[in-house]
């Protein structure tokens, strides 16, 4: 999904770079406020982790493999703004040091994989999480849905940019990109959920976005050093209605905007068959390179039926995720609490012996007391400020 | 997965006029070349010939082996093939088409293929010259010199330092899995890779905390000491001036003839 140079025209490159720069400016501001300059090494080493995790291939089907995008994983572990900074650094290293992703397409790549895959998917995660019970199952269901969506939305954004540049027609590109990534997204969702689940079982204090109720349920002892009781309160529930509305609005907007675009172009093969009769006839205006001269930017006046299908689909996905979460939390809610008590419970099976007890706890840094606890409470504090304002 | 960082260190740190340039010069040159190439309409074939000639001239100056550069440039191939797949569908612009061995190719589609292929090639070769003649610390210094926010340069240099370490750690865990008969072929086997990545995260975070505490205890206050000084010399002015002059003349000529 790393777009090289030349696939986007100047206007699209500039517009996406502008969008990314705006979000990044805010993200740097937030990260500086929440982490401080001195905690940057922590961010940097974590970026190294994302960089390495992206290179671990996972099997998809019969020998083919995909690899992790990791934007939502980073957002859940570090918070969305730190995740954008980390993703930008990762993409920058890939673009400059490995020629993976273009220089003029850098803004678009940051927009697709950092902003859309990280921040937008995180918004979906935050909204869904508040719809679901405050339990391990609910939390992980929200992670799974948002991780899947992060890959599909990133691919969709890339297809949109390619279409705006006149490189690949919107209908064909959108369908090809999203259908492939709907499959790859399942792998992303599985792996992200497994990782978050394992971290939840071993060091829940490392998850910056852990909801208050869940933190309290998992680790009653770890909250002693929390002077203002920030993590013990029920602030997740209080603003439920607003977040449900926001998440649904975002998803519905996406469905309403994208659904008609997806259906705009008829099947490519049909089209060729149709055109075969006259295709070689006219040769004037051959060198007139204006991508959208003939098919105007499709969209707004698309038929109502398609939009309704998109809306219905979105609602179905929401209802499905909700049901899944409730189901999972009924079965797993109790055992999850037990698991939390045994560090290293979920992390080992794939890791071999090397991932022994040293993984579970940093020597000399109990949960909530180390650098992480410091960082964590900083984040919570910042989000309270945001909530108040 | 040992030796994965050959991507970056495969470079023969030779000596050439290009190696000796200031990293800022090289960064700006790549940016300028990519921007000029992307903004040139694909019908101006001669302009792309000039751009390519310039890139390969610099490649010659840098004394980089052609095979190595072309092999690394293959990274853009999947995207070009993906666009090539869509070629026959582009004929709605009513621009005419060719019949090649029974397959119909639209002129508009071929134009787009040429457009993305030549622009991607120019810019990827330029980027490869940059990274093959500049060490990573120099690159970071160059970015700092160009006023990239420090949070990015700091994060990038830490990532460079530890990313490959974690990659090899992941490789070690994969070998451990393989020696215990893991052979994932299907999507439902992917869960175990999740466990691997979880262990990798916990380990790297533990390391991050240790590194951070060690740095703070040695007086780290948010800046990295001991940076390489930058030196913008006559050769840099000459190189950048010549390149920008060439690009500007070509671009103006293209705009006039259009």
């Amino acid at each position: 999904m790393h777009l090289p140079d030349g696939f986007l025209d100047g206007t699209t490159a500039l517009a996406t770079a502008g969008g990314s720069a705006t979000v990044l400016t805010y993200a740097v501001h937030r990260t500086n406020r929440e982490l401080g300059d001195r905690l940057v090494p922590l961010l940097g080493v974590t970026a190294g982790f994302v960089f390495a995790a992206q290179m671990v291939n996972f099997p998809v089907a019969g020998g083919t493999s995909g690899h992790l995008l990791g934007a939502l994983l980073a957002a859940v572990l570090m918070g969305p703004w730190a995740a954008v900074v980390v993703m930008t650094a990762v993409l920058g290293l890939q673009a400059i040091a490995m020629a993976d992703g273009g220089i003029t397409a850098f803004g678009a790549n940051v927009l697709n994989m950092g902003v859309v895959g990280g921040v937008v998917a995180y918004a979906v995660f935050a909204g869904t999480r508040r719809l679901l019970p405050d339990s391990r199952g609910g939390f992980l269901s929200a992670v799974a849905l948002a991780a899947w969506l992060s890959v599909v939305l990133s691919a969709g954004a890339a297809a949109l940019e390619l279409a705006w540049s006149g490189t690949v027609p919107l209908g064909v590109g959108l369908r090809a990109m999203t259908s492939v990534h709907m499959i790859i997204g399942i792998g992303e969702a599985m792996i992200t959920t497994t990782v978050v689940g394992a971290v939840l079982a071993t060091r829940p204090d490392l998850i910056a976005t852990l909801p208050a109720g869940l933190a309290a349920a998992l680790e009653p002892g770890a909250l002693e050093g929390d002077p203002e009781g920030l993590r013990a309160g029920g602030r997740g529930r209080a603003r439920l209605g607003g977040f449900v509305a926001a998440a649904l609005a975002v998803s519905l907007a996406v469905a309403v905007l994208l659904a008609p675009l997806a259906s705009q172009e008829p099947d490519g093969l049909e089209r060729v068959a149709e055109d075969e009769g006259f295709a070689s006839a006219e040769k004037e205006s051959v060198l007139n390179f204006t991508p959208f001269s003939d098919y105007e930017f499709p969209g707004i006046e698309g038929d109502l039926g398609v939009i309704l299908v998109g809306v219905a689909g979105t609602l179905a996905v929401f209802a499905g995720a909700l049901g899944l979460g409730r189901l999972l939390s009924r079965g797993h809610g109790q055992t999850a609490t037990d698991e939390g008590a045994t560090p290293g419970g979920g992390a080992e099976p794939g890791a071999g012996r090397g991932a022994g007890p040293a993984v579970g706890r940093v020597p000399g840094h109990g949960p909530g007391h180390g650098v992480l606890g410091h960082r964590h409470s900083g984040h919570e504090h910042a989000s309270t400020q945001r909530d108040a304002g | 997965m040992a030796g994965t960082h050959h991507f970056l260190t495969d470079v023969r740190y030779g000596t050439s006029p290009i190696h000796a340039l200031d990293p800022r010069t090289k960064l700006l040159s790549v940016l300028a070349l990519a921007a000029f190439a992307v903004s040139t309409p694909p019908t101006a074939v001669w302009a792309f010939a000039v751009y390519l000639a310039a890139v390969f001239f610099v490649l010659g100056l840098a004394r980089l082996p052609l095979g190595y550069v072309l092999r690394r440039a293959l990274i853009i191939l999947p995207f070009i093939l993906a666009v090539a797949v869509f070629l026959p569908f582009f004929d709605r612009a009513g621009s005419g088409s060719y019949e090649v061995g029974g397959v119909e190719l639209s002129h508009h589609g071929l134009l787009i293929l040429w457009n993305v292929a030549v622009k991607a090639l120019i810019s990827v070769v330029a980027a490869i010259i940059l990274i093959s003649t500049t060490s990573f610390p120099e690159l970071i210094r160059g970015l700092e010199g160009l006023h990239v926010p420090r949070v990015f340069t700091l994060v990038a240099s830490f990532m460079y330092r530890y990313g490959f370490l974690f990659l090899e750690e992941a490789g070690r865990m994969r070998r451990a899995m393989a020696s215990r008969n893991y052979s994932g072929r299907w999507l439902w086997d992917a869960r175990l890779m999740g466990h691997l990545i979880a262990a990798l995260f916990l380990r790297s975070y533990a390391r991050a905390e240790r590194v951070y505490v060690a740095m703070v205890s040695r007086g780290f206050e948010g800046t990295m000491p001991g940076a390489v000084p930058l030196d913008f010399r006559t050769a840099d002015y000459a190189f950048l001036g010549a390149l920008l002059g060439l690009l500007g003349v070509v671009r103006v000529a293209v705009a006039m003839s259009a």
Side-chain angles (χ1 to χ4, degrees):
Chain A
M1 223 188 298
H2 294 64
L3 297 172
D5 279 322
F7 283 69
L8 302 179
D9 64 3
T11 323
T12 312
L14 278 180
T16 49
S20 295
T22 313
V23 176
L24 275 177
T25 310
Y26 181 69
V28 168
H29 167 72
R30 283 293 296 261
T31 315
N32 279 341
R33 206 176 67 196
E34 284 166 31
L35 294 186
D37 231 14
R38 310 195 325 156
L39 283 170
V40 163
L42 218 51
L43 212 58
V45 183
T46 312
F49 157 73
V50 174
F51 174 76
Q54 279 197 354
M55 287 200 179
V56 176
N57 287 325
F58 59 81
V60 176
T64 59
S65 61
H67 67 86
L68 205 63
L69 174 62
L72 183 85
L73 177 62
V76 170
L77 291 175
M78 297 179 263
W81 305 115
V84 177
V85 173
V86 162
M87 287 303 290
T88 305
V90 170
L91 291 167
L93 182 70
Q94 286 164 342
I96 294 185
M98 297 162 91
D100 192 6
I103 305 288
T104 58
F106 184 62
N109 285 328
V110 169
L111 192 69
N112 299 343
M113 287 180 271
V115 177
V116 173
V119 179
V120 174
Y122 178 82
V124 174
F125 160 77
T128 320
R129 177 165 74 65
R130 283 170 170 80
L131 277 174
L132 296 169
D134 227 358
S135 68
R136 183 183 161 88
F139 189 75
L140 292 183
S141 304
V143 168
L145 175 74
W148 180 79
L149 214 58
S150 74
V151 174
V152 177
L153 289 181
S154 289
L160 275 179
E161 288 148 14
L162 286 173
W164 278 326
S165 307
T167 309
V168 177
L170 189 57
V172 185
L174 199 61
R175 204 178 311 162
M177 287 288 276
T178 50
S179 59
V180 169
H181 286 90
M182 277 176 183
I183 310 285
I184 296 179
I186 297 174
E188 177 93 10
M190 278 172 70
I191 290 188
T192 308
T193 315
T194 313
V195 174
V196 174
V199 176
L200 206 57
T202 51
R203 280 198 65 183
D205 59 308
L206 294 195
I207 300 178
T209 62
L210 198 67
L214 186 53
L218 284 175
E219 248 193 313
L223 298 176
E224 279 163 12
D226 183 14
E228 291 151 76
L230 289 173
R231 290 154 79 187
R235 112 188 125 77
R237 284 279 156 195
R239 296 167 55 86
L240 184 80
F243 273 102
V244 172
L248 261 177
V250 168
S251 311
L252 287 178
V254 168
V256 168
L257 286 173
L258 288 191
L261 302 188
S263 69
Q264 193 72 17
E265 319 268 311
D267 180 50
L269 287 170
E270 285 171 38
R271 187 77 215 186
V272 172
E274 259 176 53
D275 293 350
E276 202 141 22
F278 69 91
S280 52
E282 39 185 336
K283 286 212 169 174
E284 83 279 11
S285 81
V286 160
L287 297 185
N288 188 8
F289 188 68
T290 44
F292 285 98
S293 58
D294 212 63
Y295 40 108
E296 79 282 12
F297 193 77
I300 311 308
E301 76 286 331
D303 48 344
L304 198 67
V306 183
I307 294 181
L308 287 179
V309 170
V311 169
T314 312
L315 291 175
V317 168
F318 254 79
L322 215 66
L324 187 72
R326 297 214 185 273
L327 207 69
L328 281 176
S329 57
R330 199 182 305 152
H332 280 272
Q334 291 312 106
T335 49
T337 334
D338 301 337
E339 251 178 81
T342 53
E348 266 75 29
R353 285 202 55 221
V359 173
R361 308 260 174 213
V362 182
H365 291 279
H369 295 289
V371 178
L372 250 296
H374 177 52
R375 199 194 66 149
H376 183 74
S377 49
H379 176 85
E380 285 292 330
H381 187 59
S383 26
T384 337
Q385 284 181 335
R386 183 191 57 208
D387 287 349
Chain B
M1 226 183 276
T4 9
H5 52 292
H6 74 274
F7 270 121
L8 302 179
T9 51
D10 190 25
V11 188
R12 299 129 192 96
Y13 283 118
T15 46
S16 79
I18 305 300
H19 285 80
L21 288 175
D22 187 291
R24 285 171 297 182
T25 309
K26 290 187 262 189
L27 281 164
L28 286 177
S29 304
V30 171
L31 185 64
L33 189 67
F36 273 93
V38 165
S39 75
T40 306
T43 44
V45 176
W46 67 271
F48 291 102
V50 175
Y51 296 152
L52 276 174
V55 169
F56 280 93
F57 177 69
V58 175
L59 186 66
L61 278 184
R63 294 196 211 106
L64 292 171
L66 193 63
Y68 154 83
V69 172
L70 293 181
R71 207 168 53 245
R72 288 198 63 166
L74 286 180
I75 199 165
I76 58 171
L77 201 61
F79 285 90
I80 293 174
L81 289 180
V83 169
V85 166
F86 295 120
L87 264 188
F89 309 127
F90 276 93
D91 45 359
R92 65 197 48 214
S95 51
S97 66
Y98 311 99
E99 181 109 357
V100 180
V103 182
E104 193 182 323
L105 302 172
S106 78
H107 182 93
H108 188 239
L110 286 176
L111 195 63
I112 288 175
L113 182 66
W114 151 256
N115 181 43
V116 299
V118 72
K119 288 177 181 176
L121 180 70
I122 288 169
S123 132
V124 83
V125 171
I128 291 169
I129 297 174
L130 165 71
I131 60 194
S132 305
T133 60
T134 319
S135 71
F136 194 79
E138 278 181 315
L139 267 183
I140 293 292
R141 278 299 286 141
L143 288 172
E144 278 173 359
L146 294 173
H147 301 290
V148 169
R150 213 182 54 226
V151 63
F152 291 113
T153 55
L154 264 180
V155 165
S157 43
F158 276 99
M159 178 174 43
Y160 175 74
R161 204 160 296 179
Y162 291 100
F164 294 103
L165 188 74
F166 298 152
L167 202 54
E168 291 185 5
E169 201 150 337
R172 222 162 52 229
M173 287 191 270
R174 274 212 91 139
R175 277 196 301 283
M177 287 168 77
S179 66
R180 285 161 182 78
N181 269 350
Y182 173 81
S183 59
R185 284 181 60 77
W186 301 94
L187 194 54
W188 47 88
D189 300 322
R191 258 187 84 82
L192 274 181
M193 298 318 284
H195 291 302
L196 186 153
I197 292 174
L200 189 66
F201 172 72
L202 293 172
R203 287 180 185 195
S204 53
Y205 222 108
R207 189 186 294 270
E209 285 180 321
R210 285 201 307 277
V211 167
Y212 173 65
V213 169
M215 288 178 70
V216 169
S217 68
R218 284 160 183 79
F220 175 71
E221 284 289 344
T223 42
M224 292 292 269
V228 201
L230 290 173
D231 187 14
F232 206 86
R233 282 175 305 217
T234 327
D236 294 297
Y237 286 109
F239 183 86
L240 208 54
L243 182 76
L244 290 180
L246 178 74
L247 291 175
V249 167
V250 170
R251 194 65 191 83
V252 167
V254 167
M256 302 248 285
S257 67

